[in-house]
Amino acid sequence: MLRSKPRPNARLWLAAGALAWALGGCSAPAEPEAAARPVLVVHPDAVGDAGAWTFPGEIRAREESALAFQVGGQLLRREVDAGAHVTRGQILAEIAPDDLRLQQQSAQAQVAAAEAEYTRARTDRDRYAALVDQQLVSRSQMDAQDAAYRAAQSQLRAARAQADVAGNQAGYTRLRAPRDGVIASREAEAGQVVAAGQAIFMLAGDAGREVAIALPESRIAAFAVGQAAQIELWNRPGERIAGNIREISAAADPQARTYAARVALDADAIDGVELGQSARVTIAAERADDGLLVPLAAIQPGPEGGKAVWVVDPATHTLQSIPVETGAYGARMVPVRSGLTPDALVVAAGGHLLRVGQRVTPVDRENRPYRLDASKPAASE
């Protein structure tokens, strides 16, 4: 039986179908649209504690004095110990007075000798003055008597001054408190031989209390005397005490490269504040006109060398790079002086991985979708 040959038109259709099938099998599938990237967003905060710097410190007295004897000798006894409260004029310690009393007696004897010499010189001068009137002695002899009289007079004044010094030194054998306060420490014991000016006690006056802190060299320009501060004691957490910066050192510590500063506590808030307590001092980083605060990680390099932040467009869910002007950086937050509005949705992390126009899904810190219409995180279902 003979097979019939296919018709020319049929062969053409078969070839076209095979070519279409081959081309369809070789073409790549269409790429799916990129998924929106989740980003953490926040609203800028008003300047407050978040834009403040906190420093550790120690409660100190405003007036701290190292008490020492003005003369040297053996410490005979001490009347107080560390921690004792003393009043002005109270005797704190005494050194052996024997040598100083002998020096005082010697000075008094020299005064007596000078007085006798002065009396003799004055009598001789008066006698020679009478003889001069009678022209029984020469004028040069009278001049010599005048000179001897003036010398005796000067020696008497010097002897009396030396006696006063010796008397004062005899009184320096007792160390007295110059003001009311607390003995912070003692540096010598009875029986010890001490030199003049050697510290025996450290007295912390009752006049006021301060916190000693160290300010960083990189931010010293942000602080000034009189600037307000808040003090929180470690043993009284959550309780804030008002104060202000009273003193800032003119030179940085050569090793730590920090500036010593004193923060004075308000006078009506020092009850119960003890010397040596640990404290935290919070000082506002910027003034109230410094605008808004954003997280430190939100700040990105700007297109022209400045600073910028990523902001989510609520209508299109796309990113925009907004140039901003910033203030001094804090530990966690940065003040933004211009470029942002309080309702802006700022990307708080991962900005170096983003690009302009990219579609994103805003989320909060709990990784929940952010409700752009209400500017709040969506409630979990």
Side-chain angles (χ1 to χ4, degrees):
M1 181 177 180
L2 296 176
R3 291 180 297 178
S4 61
K5 293 182 179 181
R7 292 175 298 175
N9 289 340
R11 286 197 301 267
L12 182 60
W13 280 106
L14 289 175
L19 180 60
W21 177 83
L23 292 176
C26 294
S27 61
E31 293 184 1
E33 185 179 357
R37 186 188 189 96
V39 292
L40 172 63
V41 296
V42 296
H43 282 295
D45 295 326
V47 173
D49 287 345
W53 290 311
T54 301
F55 304 99
E58 179 185 0
I59 299 295
R60 306 282 289 274
R62 179 169 185 175
E63 297 178 345
E64 296 178 333
S65 305
L67 305 184
F69 289 102
Q70 293 181 251
V71 294
Q74 185 180 33
L75 188 59
L76 193 62
R77 64 177 179 271
R78 57 176 178 82
E79 304 292 346
V80 295
D81 207 340
H85 190 275
V86 298
T87 57
R88 181 178 181 180
Q90 179 178 342
I91 296 176
L92 306 180
E94 184 177 2
I95 61 174
D98 299 339
D99 293 343
L100 295 174
R101 287 177 180 172
L102 292 176
Q103 292 178 8
Q104 184 182 17
Q105 294 174 6
S106 175
Q108 291 173 348
Q110 291 177 0
V111 170
E115 288 176 345
E117 180 62 23
Y118 170 73
T119 301
R120 185 193 64 79
R122 184 181 61 185
T123 302
D124 289 347
R125 177 179 175 274
D126 293 343
R127 185 182 301 113
Y128 270 78
L131 294 175
V132 167
D133 293 339
Q134 301 174 11
Q135 297 184 354
L136 298 176
V137 296
S138 65
R139 189 65 192 177
S140 62
Q141 289 177 316
M142 184 61 199
D143 292 341
Q145 291 301 319
D146 285 339
Y149 170 76
R150 289 193 297 269
Q153 191 177 38
S154 298
Q155 289 176 357
L156 178 58
R157 285 197 297 264
R160 287 174 176 172
Q162 289 294 333
D164 290 341
V165 172
N168 291 338
Q169 289 182 337
Y172 294 154
T173 58
R174 290 183 174 181
L175 182 62
R176 299 178 182 272
R179 64 181 64 87
D180 296 349
V182 177
I183 301 297
S185 64
R186 57 176 172 80
E187 310 296 337
E189 290 289 350
Q192 182 177 344
V193 176
V194 297
Q198 179 180 342
I200 308 300
F201 298 104
M202 182 64 70
L203 177 66
D206 287 342
R209 294 290 179 263
E210 300 177 338
V211 185
I213 62 174
L215 300 178
E217 181 181 16
S218 60
R219 300 172 182 170
I220 191 61
F223 305 100
V225 173
Q227 190 171 350
Q230 297 289 328
I231 299 95
E232 181 180 357
L233 302 178
W234 283 102
N235 64 346
R236 289 153 62 178
E239 181 179 344
R240 296 292 184 93
I241 302 174
N244 60 82
I245 299 179
R246 184 186 66 83
E247 178 184 86
I248 299 177
S249 175
D253 183 274
Q255 295 181 348
R257 305 311 306 169
T258 57
Y259 287 79
R262 290 295 186 97
V263 178
L265 280 68
D266 287 355
D268 57 353
I270 64 174
D271 293 340
V273 178
E274 302 296 338
L275 296 172
Q277 284 184 306
S278 298
R280 291 187 300 181
V281 177
T282 301
I283 304 174
E286 299 289 342
R287 302 295 189 265
D289 59 356
D290 280 332
L292 304 170
L293 291 169
V294 297
L296 187 63
I299 302 298
Q300 301 295 322
E304 299 181 358
K307 300 292 190 298
V309 296
W310 292 111
V311 174
V312 179
D313 185 346
T316 62
H317 287 209
T318 57
L319 292 175
Q320 300 175 350
S321 180
I322 304 298
V324 294
E325 180 185 356
T326 63
Y329 282 30
R332 303 184 310 274
M333 307 293 285
V334 180
V336 176
R337 293 178 173 144
S338 63
L340 283 183
T341 58
D343 59 347
L345 285 173
V346 178
V347 177
H352 61 289
L353 301 175
L354 305 176
R355 66 181 185 275
V356 175
Q358 181 177 357
R359 286 186 57 82
V360 294
T361 301
V363 297
D364 67 353
R365 297 187 182 277
E366 303 297 330
N367 203 28
R368 297 174 301 178
Y370 211 94
R371 287 173 51 187
L372 299 181
D373 56 343
S375 298
K376 295 181 180 179
S380 57
E381 297 180 358

